[in-house]
Amino acid sequence: MFKKPVYEAPIVATGNSSAHDDVETVVGPSVTVEGDFSSEGNIVVKGTVSGSVKTSKLLTVEKGAKILANVKAGNAIISGSVRGNVKVAERLDLYDTAQVAGDVECKILSVAAGALIQGKLMMKGI
């Protein structure tokens, strides 16, 4: 009777830790990164990055975050500001607080009301 909760707790903890392992790099809200930034895992930007950002997986730019350079990602979710070209292999989601000043290239684009884009838009598939 007591063994069941003991076995369930490690399974739940392992499940949660693997969810955290999906995010490889986090740039905190008080952090400023200068220079090129590259990762093969998921990246979450909460602060400022002044240099190119590249990942083959998911890039998340949270509300209030800034990227001042070109971006290349497998998928991206932008709620903050990007001043540079954005090249996404698959899906790009721009939330209502997103601001992109640069050319955008992606396969699938989702734009919420209120999001701002200044630049050319190119979508794969035609």
Side-chain angles (χ1 to χ4, degrees):
M1 188 159 118
F2 292 109
K3 289 183 181 180
K4 195 168 189 176
V6 171
Y7 287 117
E8 288 178 356
I11 293 170
V12 171
T14 303
N16 288 340
S17 66
S18 68
H20 294 296
D21 290 342
D22 290 343
V23 176
E24 187 172 282
T25 307
V26 176
V27 177
S30 64
V31 176
T32 299
V33 176
E34 294 185 15
D36 296 341
F37 194 74
S38 181
S39 174
E40 290 302 316
N42 297 335
I43 299 173
V44 177
V45 177
K46 298 180 180 188
T48 303
V49 178
S50 298
S52 65
V53 177
K54 182 180 178 183
T55 180
S56 60
K57 301 232 176 151
L58 176 65
L59 169 68
T60 304
V61 182
E62 293 194 353
K63 184 178 178 180
K66 296 178 185 176
I67 296 180
L68 307 171
N70 294 334
V71 171
K72 189 173 183 179
N75 292 288
I77 298 171
I78 300 175
S79 299
S81 174
V82 177
R83 293 194 178 273
N85 297 333
V86 178
K87 187 173 184 177
V88 177
E90 291 297 321
R91 183 181 176 98
L92 172 61
D93 292 322
L94 299 177
Y95 287 15
D96 60 340
T97 56
Q99 297 181 359
V100 177
D103 295 344
V104 175
E105 184 178 336
C106 62
K107 189 173 181 180
I108 300 167
L109 177 64
S110 170
V111 182
L116 301 173
I117 303 174
Q118 183 177 23
K120 292 188 297 183
L121 173 63
M122 296 169 277
M123 296 179 71
K124 300 173 187 175
I126 295 178

